[in-house]
mmCIF file of all heavy atoms in Angstrom:
data_model
loop_
_atom_site.group_PDB
_atom_site.id
_atom_site.type_symbol
_atom_site.label_atom_id
_atom_site.label_comp_id
_atom_site.label_asym_id
_atom_site.label_seq_id
_atom_site.Cartn_x
_atom_site.Cartn_y
_atom_site.Cartn_z
ATOM 1 N N GLY U 1 119.946 80.337 86.457
ATOM 2 C CA GLY U 1 120.558 80.770 85.165
ATOM 3 C C GLY U 1 120.363 79.763 84.035
ATOM 4 O O GLY U 1 120.697 80.086 82.919
ATOM 5 N N THR U 2 119.820 78.626 84.307
ATOM 6 C CA THR U 2 119.635 77.650 83.250
ATOM 7 C C THR U 2 118.130 77.840 82.758
ATOM 8 O O THR U 2 117.354 78.405 83.450
ATOM 9 C CB THR U 2 119.812 76.210 83.731
ATOM 10 O OG1 THR U 2 118.947 75.912 84.804
ATOM 11 C CG2 THR U 2 121.293 75.935 84.109
ATOM 12 N N ARG U 3 117.808 77.357 81.538
ATOM 13 C CA ARG U 3 116.570 77.647 80.961
ATOM 14 C C ARG U 3 115.680 76.366 80.740
ATOM 15 O O ARG U 3 116.189 75.334 80.375
ATOM 16 C CB ARG U 3 116.779 78.276 79.546
ATOM 17 C CG ARG U 3 115.480 78.558 78.812
ATOM 18 C CD ARG U 3 115.773 79.078 77.399
ATOM 19 N NE ARG U 3 116.473 80.336 77.414
ATOM 20 C CZ ARG U 3 115.852 81.510 77.595
ATOM 21 N NH1 ARG U 3 114.535 81.545 77.723
ATOM 22 N NH2 ARG U 3 116.504 82.598 77.566
ATOM 23 N N VAL U 4 114.392 76.448 81.104
ATOM 24 C CA VAL U 4 113.523 75.379 80.918
ATOM 25 C C VAL U 4 112.999 75.357 79.458
ATOM 26 O O VAL U 4 112.609 76.383 78.909
ATOM 27 C CB VAL U 4 112.237 75.516 81.921
ATOM 28 C CG1 VAL U 4 111.186 74.491 81.546
ATOM 29 C CG2 VAL U 4 112.692 75.387 83.268
ATOM 30 N N LEU U 5 113.202 74.230 78.837
ATOM 31 C CA LEU U 5 112.862 74.128 77.374
ATOM 32 C C LEU U 5 111.389 73.606 77.166
ATOM 33 O O LEU U 5 110.827 73.904 76.132
ATOM 34 C CB LEU U 5 113.842 73.157 76.661
ATOM 35 C CG LEU U 5 115.318 73.584 76.698
ATOM 36 C CD1 LEU U 5 116.123 72.572 76.009
ATOM 37 C CD2 LEU U 5 115.415 74.962 76.010
ATOM 38 N N SER U 6 110.966 72.820 78.103
ATOM 39 C CA SER U 6 109.595 72.273 77.889
ATOM 40 C C SER U 6 108.909 72.028 79.206
ATOM 41 O O SER U 6 109.547 71.912 80.189
ATOM 42 C CB SER U 6 109.632 70.931 77.102
ATOM 43 O OG SER U 6 110.319 69.857 77.908
ATOM 44 N N ASP U 7 107.567 71.971 79.196
ATOM 45 C CA ASP U 7 106.817 71.609 80.359
ATOM 46 C C ASP U 7 106.925 72.648 81.458
ATOM 47 O O ASP U 7 107.321 73.859 81.196
ATOM 48 C CB ASP U 7 107.207 70.233 80.924
ATOM 49 C CG ASP U 7 107.077 69.170 79.873
ATOM 50 O OD1 ASP U 7 105.930 68.926 79.403
ATOM 51 O OD2 ASP U 7 108.069 68.591 79.479
ATOM 52 N N ARG U 8 106.559 72.318 82.678
ATOM 53 C CA ARG U 8 106.503 73.262 83.785
ATOM 54 C C ARG U 8 106.902 72.553 85.057
ATOM 55 O O ARG U 8 106.551 71.400 85.291
ATOM 56 C CB ARG U 8 104.962 73.659 83.914
ATOM 57 C CG ARG U 8 104.625 74.576 85.156
ATOM 58 C CD ARG U 8 103.085 74.857 85.118
ATOM 59 N NE ARG U 8 102.697 75.727 86.160
ATOM 60 C CZ ARG U 8 102.318 75.319 87.329
ATOM 61 N NH1 ARG U 8 102.289 74.022 87.671
ATOM 62 N NH2 ARG U 8 101.889 76.199 88.240
ATOM 63 N N ILE U 9 107.759 73.219 85.872
ATOM 64 C CA ILE U 9 108.186 72.721 87.082
ATOM 65 C C ILE U 9 108.042 73.725 88.141
ATOM 66 O O ILE U 9 108.032 74.920 88.016
ATOM 67 C CB ILE U 9 109.696 72.233 87.037
ATOM 68 C CG1 ILE U 9 110.588 73.441 86.574
ATOM 69 C CG2 ILE U 9 109.871 71.000 86.169
ATOM 70 C CD1 ILE U 9 112.018 73.109 86.585
ATOM 71 N N ILE U 10 107.930 73.204 89.385
ATOM 72 C CA ILE U 10 107.880 74.034 90.643
ATOM 73 C C ILE U 10 109.207 73.748 91.419
ATOM 74 O O ILE U 10 109.494 72.535 91.670
ATOM 75 C CB ILE U 10 106.648 73.802 91.480
ATOM 76 C CG1 ILE U 10 105.391 74.217 90.694
ATOM 77 C CG2 ILE U 10 106.653 74.509 92.833
ATOM 78 C CD1 ILE U 10 104.110 73.944 91.481
ATOM 79 N N VAL U 11 109.881 74.813 91.763
ATOM 80 C CA VAL U 11 111.274 74.709 92.327
ATOM 81 C C VAL U 11 111.266 75.358 93.689
ATOM 82 O O VAL U 11 110.757 76.477 93.888
ATOM 83 C CB VAL U 11 112.290 75.413 91.416
ATOM 84 C CG1 VAL U 11 113.620 75.300 92.079
ATOM 85 C CG2 VAL U 11 112.353 74.763 90.074
ATOM 86 N N LYS U 12 111.778 74.612 94.677
ATOM 87 C CA LYS U 12 112.035 75.159 96.048
ATOM 88 C C LYS U 12 113.482 75.649 96.107
ATOM 89 O O LYS U 12 114.391 74.889 95.876
ATOM 90 C CB LYS U 12 111.784 74.109 97.068
ATOM 91 C CG LYS U 12 111.871 74.646 98.514
ATOM 92 C CD LYS U 12 111.518 73.559 99.485
ATOM 93 C CE LYS U 12 111.561 74.079 100.919
ATOM 94 N NZ LYS U 12 111.218 72.998 101.941
ATOM 95 N N ILE U 13 113.634 76.929 96.380
ATOM 96 C CA ILE U 13 115.001 77.540 96.344
ATOM 97 C C ILE U 13 115.791 77.001 97.607
ATOM 98 O O ILE U 13 115.249 77.056 98.740
ATOM 99 C CB ILE U 13 114.851 79.055 96.436
ATOM 100 C CG1 ILE U 13 114.138 79.595 95.158
ATOM 101 C CG2 ILE U 13 116.255 79.695 96.473
ATOM 102 C CD1 ILE U 13 114.740 79.259 93.841
ATOM 103 N N THR U 14 117.005 76.649 97.392
ATOM 104 C CA THR U 14 117.827 76.023 98.472
ATOM 105 C C THR U 14 119.044 76.955 98.728
ATOM 106 O O THR U 14 119.687 76.783 99.681
ATOM 107 C CB THR U 14 118.352 74.677 98.093
ATOM 108 O OG1 THR U 14 119.051 74.702 96.905
ATOM 109 C CG2 THR U 14 117.205 73.673 97.975
ATOM 110 N N GLN U 15 119.311 77.918 97.845
ATOM 111 C CA GLN U 15 120.534 78.772 98.047
ATOM 112 C C GLN U 15 120.296 79.794 99.034
ATOM 113 O O GLN U 15 119.171 80.253 99.288
ATOM 114 C CB GLN U 15 120.893 79.448 96.724
ATOM 115 C CG GLN U 15 119.886 80.543 96.278
ATOM 116 C CD GLN U 15 120.110 81.171 94.913
ATOM 117 O OE1 GLN U 15 120.421 80.421 94.005
ATOM 118 N NE2 GLN U 15 120.075 82.390 94.825
ATOM 119 N N LYS U 16 121.379 80.189 99.723
ATOM 120 C CA LYS U 16 121.351 81.311 100.646
ATOM 121 C C LYS U 16 121.680 82.595 99.864
ATOM 122 O O LYS U 16 122.337 82.498 98.782
ATOM 123 C CB LYS U 16 122.403 81.139 101.806
ATOM 124 C CG LYS U 16 122.067 79.882 102.629
ATOM 125 C CD LYS U 16 123.191 79.722 103.678
ATOM 126 C CE LYS U 16 122.963 78.416 104.505
ATOM 127 N NZ LYS U 16 123.993 78.170 105.473
ATOM 128 N N PRO U 17 121.328 83.764 100.314
ATOM 129 C CA PRO U 17 121.620 84.983 99.609
ATOM 130 C C PRO U 17 123.081 85.153 99.313
ATOM 131 O O PRO U 17 123.923 85.051 100.241
ATOM 132 C CB PRO U 17 121.062 86.092 100.470
ATOM 133 C CG PRO U 17 119.975 85.415 101.343
ATOM 134 C CD PRO U 17 120.441 84.046 101.475
ATOM 135 N N GLY U 18 123.477 85.414 98.023
ATOM 136 C CA GLY U 18 124.828 85.651 97.661
ATOM 137 C C GLY U 18 125.662 84.409 97.666
ATOM 138 O O GLY U 18 126.894 84.474 97.418
ATOM 139 N N GLU U 19 125.034 83.185 97.800
ATOM 140 C CA GLU U 19 125.822 81.977 97.771
ATOM 141 C C GLU U 19 125.269 81.049 96.721
ATOM 142 O O GLU U 19 125.428 79.794 96.871
ATOM 143 C CB GLU U 19 125.845 81.305 99.129
ATOM 144 C CG GLU U 19 126.457 82.104 100.213
ATOM 145 C CD GLU U 19 126.503 81.399 101.584
ATOM 146 O OE1 GLU U 19 126.244 80.120 101.594
ATOM 147 O OE2 GLU U 19 126.859 82.074 102.562
ATOM 148 N N SER U 20 124.655 81.501 95.670
ATOM 149 C CA SER U 20 124.235 80.670 94.646
ATOM 150 C C SER U 20 125.399 80.034 93.857
ATOM 151 O O SER U 20 126.479 80.482 93.964
ATOM 152 C CB SER U 20 123.294 81.448 93.638
ATOM 153 O OG SER U 20 124.104 82.287 92.875
ATOM 154 N N PHE U 21 125.031 79.025 93.087
ATOM 155 C CA PHE U 21 125.998 78.366 92.266
ATOM 156 C C PHE U 21 126.639 79.360 91.309
ATOM 157 O O PHE U 21 127.848 79.378 91.115
ATOM 158 C CB PHE U 21 125.272 77.231 91.462
ATOM 159 C CG PHE U 21 126.144 76.340 90.752
ATOM 160 C CD1 PHE U 21 126.634 75.169 91.412
ATOM 161 C CD2 PHE U 21 126.538 76.514 89.446
ATOM 162 C CE1 PHE U 21 127.459 74.256 90.785
ATOM 163 C CE2 PHE U 21 127.351 75.628 88.848
ATOM 164 C CZ PHE U 21 127.838 74.508 89.458
ATOM 165 N N VAL U 22 125.871 80.264 90.692
ATOM 166 C CA VAL U 22 126.316 81.207 89.795
ATOM 167 C C VAL U 22 127.290 82.246 90.534
ATOM 168 O O VAL U 22 128.326 82.623 90.005
ATOM 169 C CB VAL U 22 125.206 81.946 89.027
ATOM 170 C CG1 VAL U 22 125.745 83.142 88.249
ATOM 171 C CG2 VAL U 22 124.411 81.031 88.158
ATOM 172 N N ASP U 23 126.876 82.683 91.708
ATOM 173 C CA ASP U 23 127.721 83.599 92.481
ATOM 174 C C ASP U 23 129.080 82.968 92.739
ATOM 175 O O ASP U 23 130.178 83.656 92.569
ATOM 176 C CB ASP U 23 127.041 83.842 93.871
ATOM 177 C CG ASP U 23 125.860 84.815 93.738
ATOM 178 O OD1 ASP U 23 125.903 85.670 92.856
ATOM 179 O OD2 ASP U 23 124.873 84.587 94.415
ATOM 180 N N ARG U 24 129.109 81.715 93.150
ATOM 181 C CA ARG U 24 130.330 81.075 93.479
ATOM 182 C C ARG U 24 131.171 80.826 92.148
ATOM 183 O O ARG U 24 132.482 80.966 92.213
ATOM 184 C CB ARG U 24 130.117 79.686 94.126
ATOM 185 C CG ARG U 24 129.625 79.806 95.553
ATOM 186 C CD ARG U 24 129.419 78.486 96.220
ATOM 187 N NE ARG U 24 128.355 77.773 95.693
ATOM 188 C CZ ARG U 24 127.974 76.599 96.137
ATOM 189 N NH1 ARG U 24 128.699 75.914 97.043
ATOM 190 N NH2 ARG U 24 126.996 75.963 95.526
ATOM 191 N N MET U 25 130.502 80.542 91.050
ATOM 192 C CA MET U 25 131.211 80.330 89.817
ATOM 193 C C MET U 25 131.877 81.658 89.326
ATOM 194 O O MET U 25 133.061 81.720 88.879
ATOM 195 C CB MET U 25 130.314 79.808 88.748
ATOM 196 C CG MET U 25 131.036 79.264 87.476
ATOM 197 S SD MET U 25 129.996 78.214 86.527
ATOM 198 C CE MET U 25 131.103 77.651 85.259
ATOM 199 N N ILE U 26 131.177 82.804 89.465
ATOM 200 C CA ILE U 26 131.652 84.089 89.081
ATOM 201 C C ILE U 26 132.924 84.404 89.939
ATOM 202 O O ILE U 26 133.937 84.829 89.422
ATOM 203 C CB ILE U 26 130.577 85.215 89.243
ATOM 204 C CG1 ILE U 26 129.497 84.961 88.211
ATOM 205 C CG2 ILE U 26 131.172 86.550 89.166
ATOM 206 C CD1 ILE U 26 128.329 85.868 88.420
ATOM 207 N N ALA U 27 132.752 84.279 91.274
ATOM 208 C CA ALA U 27 133.899 84.547 92.105
ATOM 209 C C ALA U 27 135.110 83.563 91.822
ATOM 210 O O ALA U 27 136.222 84.061 91.857
ATOM 211 C CB ALA U 27 133.451 84.264 93.584
ATOM 212 N N LEU U 28 134.751 82.402 91.393
ATOM 213 C CA LEU U 28 135.878 81.474 91.135
ATOM 214 C C LEU U 28 136.657 81.849 89.850
ATOM 215 O O LEU U 28 137.891 82.000 89.879
ATOM 216 C CB LEU U 28 135.322 80.062 90.952
ATOM 217 C CG LEU U 28 136.388 79.029 90.511
ATOM 218 C CD1 LEU U 28 137.284 78.658 91.655
ATOM 219 C CD2 LEU U 28 135.624 77.758 89.889
ATOM 220 N N VAL U 29 135.918 82.132 88.719
ATOM 221 C CA VAL U 29 136.604 82.345 87.497
ATOM 222 C C VAL U 29 137.268 83.742 87.479
ATOM 223 O O VAL U 29 138.251 83.943 86.749
ATOM 224 C CB VAL U 29 135.665 82.212 86.276
ATOM 225 C CG1 VAL U 29 135.078 80.836 86.181
ATOM 226 C CG2 VAL U 29 134.469 83.226 86.404
ATOM 227 N N GLU U 30 136.777 84.612 88.311
ATOM 228 C CA GLU U 30 137.485 85.942 88.405
ATOM 229 C C GLU U 30 138.586 85.947 89.438
ATOM 230 O O GLU U 30 139.329 86.947 89.500
ATOM 231 C CB GLU U 30 136.418 87.036 88.767
ATOM 232 C CG GLU U 30 135.491 87.293 87.538
ATOM 233 C CD GLU U 30 134.610 88.521 87.808
ATOM 234 O OE1 GLU U 30 134.315 88.745 89.048
ATOM 235 O OE2 GLU U 30 134.203 89.183 86.862
ATOM 236 N N GLY U 31 138.669 84.891 90.240
ATOM 237 C CA GLY U 31 139.670 84.852 91.274
ATOM 238 C C GLY U 31 139.433 85.731 92.458
ATOM 239 O O GLY U 31 140.347 85.934 93.305
ATOM 240 N N ALA U 32 138.293 86.275 92.534
ATOM 241 C CA ALA U 32 137.935 87.204 93.598
ATOM 242 C C ALA U 32 137.988 86.616 95.023
ATOM 243 O O ALA U 32 138.379 87.251 95.985
ATOM 244 C CB ALA U 32 136.636 88.011 93.329
ATOM 245 N N SER U 33 137.551 85.336 95.071
ATOM 246 C CA SER U 33 137.415 84.725 96.406
ATOM 247 C C SER U 33 138.472 83.615 96.578
ATOM 248 O O SER U 33 138.228 82.747 97.500
ATOM 249 C CB SER U 33 136.009 84.214 96.627
ATOM 250 O OG SER U 33 135.742 83.192 95.715
ATOM 251 N N ARG U 34 139.424 83.527 95.713
ATOM 252 C CA ARG U 34 140.364 82.457 95.805
ATOM 253 C C ARG U 34 141.206 82.536 97.146
ATOM 254 O O ARG U 34 141.923 83.530 97.305
ATOM 255 C CB ARG U 34 141.361 82.466 94.575
ATOM 256 C CG ARG U 34 142.092 81.168 94.435
ATOM 257 C CD ARG U 34 143.060 81.271 93.308
ATOM 258 N NE ARG U 34 144.192 82.085 93.561
ATOM 259 C CZ ARG U 34 145.336 81.700 94.195
ATOM 260 N NH1 ARG U 34 145.450 80.413 94.422
ATOM 261 N NH2 ARG U 34 146.354 82.473 94.458
ATOM 262 N N GLN U 35 141.157 81.581 97.966
ATOM 263 C CA GLN U 35 141.959 81.558 99.112
ATOM 264 C C GLN U 35 143.251 80.722 98.882
ATOM 265 O O GLN U 35 143.271 79.748 98.163
ATOM 266 C CB GLN U 35 141.145 80.838 100.242
ATOM 267 C CG GLN U 35 139.844 81.541 100.585
ATOM 268 C CD GLN U 35 140.037 82.962 101.187
ATOM 269 O OE1 GLN U 35 140.903 83.158 101.924
ATOM 270 N NE2 GLN U 35 139.215 83.946 100.614
ATOM 271 N N LYS U 36 144.341 81.214 99.452
ATOM 272 C CA LYS U 36 145.597 80.567 99.229
ATOM 273 C C LYS U 36 145.551 79.237 99.943
ATOM 274 O O LYS U 36 144.967 79.056 101.080
ATOM 275 C CB LYS U 36 146.757 81.402 99.841
ATOM 276 C CG LYS U 36 147.131 82.578 98.931
ATOM 277 C CD LYS U 36 148.296 83.278 99.523
ATOM 278 C CE LYS U 36 148.935 84.293 98.506
ATOM 279 N NZ LYS U 36 147.919 85.320 98.214
ATOM 280 N N THR U 37 146.098 78.182 99.313
ATOM 281 C CA THR U 37 146.042 76.859 99.879
ATOM 282 C C THR U 37 147.240 76.655 100.856
ATOM 283 O O THR U 37 148.203 77.460 100.851
ATOM 284 C CB THR U 37 146.214 75.831 98.713
ATOM 285 O OG1 THR U 37 147.531 75.981 98.119
ATOM 286 C CG2 THR U 37 145.143 75.975 97.696
ATOM 287 N N PRO U 38 147.136 75.655 101.719
ATOM 288 C CA PRO U 38 148.227 75.470 102.704
ATOM 289 C C PRO U 38 149.590 75.337 102.027
ATOM 290 O O PRO U 38 150.579 75.979 102.554
ATOM 291 C CB PRO U 38 147.866 74.177 103.387
ATOM 292 C CG PRO U 38 146.380 74.129 103.278
ATOM 293 C CD PRO U 38 146.034 74.755 101.927
ATOM 294 N N ASN U 39 149.727 74.653 100.932
ATOM 295 C CA ASN U 39 150.960 74.475 100.210
ATOM 296 C C ASN U 39 151.446 75.886 99.736
ATOM 297 O O ASN U 39 152.604 76.240 99.815
ATOM 298 C CB ASN U 39 150.833 73.523 99.051
ATOM 299 C CG ASN U 39 152.121 73.250 98.363
ATOM 300 O OD1 ASN U 39 152.661 74.059 97.669
ATOM 301 N ND2 ASN U 39 152.575 71.975 98.501
ATOM 302 N N GLU U 40 150.572 76.636 99.168
ATOM 303 C CA GLU U 40 150.918 77.957 98.652
ATOM 304 C C GLU U 40 151.366 78.864 99.791
ATOM 305 O O GLU U 40 152.247 79.725 99.620
ATOM 306 C CB GLU U 40 149.756 78.523 97.876
ATOM 307 C CG GLU U 40 150.045 79.742 97.030
ATOM 308 C CD GLU U 40 148.843 80.153 96.161
ATOM 309 O OE1 GLU U 40 147.840 79.376 96.167
ATOM 310 O OE2 GLU U 40 148.915 81.233 95.577
ATOM 311 N N ILE U 41 150.608 78.834 100.892
ATOM 312 C CA ILE U 41 150.915 79.645 102.076
ATOM 313 C C ILE U 41 152.366 79.332 102.592
ATOM 314 O O ILE U 41 153.150 80.209 102.881
ATOM 315 C CB ILE U 41 149.883 79.486 103.160
ATOM 316 C CG1 ILE U 41 148.580 80.027 102.803
ATOM 317 C CG2 ILE U 41 150.449 80.075 104.482
ATOM 318 C CD1 ILE U 41 147.438 79.746 103.734
ATOM 319 N N ALA U 42 152.620 77.988 102.676
ATOM 320 C CA ALA U 42 154.011 77.549 103.107
ATOM 321 C C ALA U 42 155.059 78.033 102.165
ATOM 322 O O ALA U 42 156.126 78.512 102.654
ATOM 323 C CB ALA U 42 153.992 76.076 103.153
ATOM 324 N N LEU U 43 154.770 78.024 100.869
ATOM 325 C CA LEU U 43 155.798 78.528 99.903
ATOM 326 C C LEU U 43 155.973 80.021 99.999
ATOM 327 O O LEU U 43 157.024 80.544 99.889
ATOM 328 C CB LEU U 43 155.349 78.118 98.467
ATOM 329 C CG LEU U 43 156.374 78.374 97.377
ATOM 330 C CD1 LEU U 43 157.726 77.765 97.681
ATOM 331 C CD2 LEU U 43 155.853 77.758 96.054
ATOM 332 N N ASN U 44 154.840 80.696 100.222
ATOM 333 C CA ASN U 44 154.964 82.186 100.457
ATOM 334 C C ASN U 44 155.770 82.528 101.702
ATOM 335 O O ASN U 44 156.551 83.477 101.664
ATOM 336 C CB ASN U 44 153.551 82.741 100.642
ATOM 337 C CG ASN U 44 152.992 83.293 99.289
ATOM 338 O OD1 ASN U 44 153.650 84.061 98.562
ATOM 339 N ND2 ASN U 44 151.755 82.936 98.966
ATOM 340 N N ILE U 45 155.638 81.722 102.752
ATOM 341 C CA ILE U 45 156.473 81.948 103.962
ATOM 342 C C ILE U 45 157.931 81.728 103.705
ATOM 343 O O ILE U 45 158.760 82.536 104.103
ATOM 344 C CB ILE U 45 155.971 81.023 105.113
ATOM 345 C CG1 ILE U 45 154.544 81.421 105.549
ATOM 346 C CG2 ILE U 45 156.904 81.038 106.264
ATOM 347 C CD1 ILE U 45 153.929 80.475 106.537
ATOM 348 N N LEU U 46 158.243 80.637 102.866
ATOM 349 C CA LEU U 46 159.584 80.418 102.517
ATOM 350 C C LEU U 46 160.173 81.545 101.659
ATOM 351 O O LEU U 46 161.340 81.987 101.927
ATOM 352 C CB LEU U 46 159.701 79.045 101.732
ATOM 353 C CG LEU U 46 161.036 78.782 101.057
ATOM 354 C CD1 LEU U 46 162.120 78.591 102.181
ATOM 355 C CD2 LEU U 46 160.959 77.553 100.190
ATOM 356 N N LEU U 47 159.365 82.028 100.720
ATOM 357 C CA LEU U 47 159.916 83.164 99.834
ATOM 358 C C LEU U 47 160.082 84.436 100.732
ATOM 359 O O LEU U 47 161.075 85.115 100.486
ATOM 360 C CB LEU U 47 158.853 83.414 98.715
ATOM 361 C CG LEU U 47 158.619 82.290 97.697
ATOM 362 C CD1 LEU U 47 157.669 82.697 96.616
ATOM 363 C CD2 LEU U 47 159.979 81.843 97.121
#
């Protein structure tokens, strides 16, 4: 998702399908994949 401004590079892809940096960032900012933390789970149990 970033842009090359000058010259030329060859890139070896390291991401797994659906697990790119952008995928994770989208899920994060939308809250879609946010897992409850241990502290939050404990508080939910108390409530």
